[in-house]
Amino acid sequence: MPVISVDWWKGNDRAQRQELVSELTACVSRIAGCPEEAVTVIVRDVDPDHWGKGGVLADEILSGAAPAAPSPQDTGGQP
Ligand SMILES: O=C(O)C/C=C/C(=O)C(=O)O
């Protein structure tokens, strides 16, 4: 009975959560070879001011007060 947990920033609406649950369920069901009814998806909306990335709170990244972390393309794949 696979359980998928998604933590993402608060702000997605019900339709987006439904699409996420539907697509993840189908994907895991196919790969694991289990019925969709066996798949559980837990979605947690996290306030960006409760989300730390690169040592800063994400609301500061969103507002432009702190720089976003470099993407893997910018660092040659290194963290
Ligand atoms: O972790 C990041 O770099 C950005 C995360 C974004 C989200 O969780 C989101 O857009 O919902």
Side-chain angles (χ1 to χ4, degrees):
M1 301 202 314
V3 179
I4 305 157
S5 181
V6 177
D7 292 288
W8 66 359
W9 290 343
K10 186 176 179 178
N12 297 292
D13 63 18
R14 183 181 179 86
Q16 290 170 306
R17 291 193 300 279
Q18 176 58 67
E19 182 178 0
L20 179 72
V21 166
S22 175
E23 300 243 350
L24 288 175
T25 297
C27 182
V28 171
S29 169
R30 176 177 55 80
I31 293 170
C34 67
E36 292 196 355
E37 290 70 21
V39 178
T40 298
V41 180
I42 301 166
V43 181
R44 296 187 191 89
D45 290 334
V46 180
D47 279 315
D49 66 345
H50 287 73
W51 182 293
K53 182 162 187 174
V56 299
L57 296 175
D59 62 338
E60 295 189 4
I61 297 170
L62 287 171
S63 72
S71 69
Q73 293 88 344
D74 297 335
T75 60
Q78 300 302 310

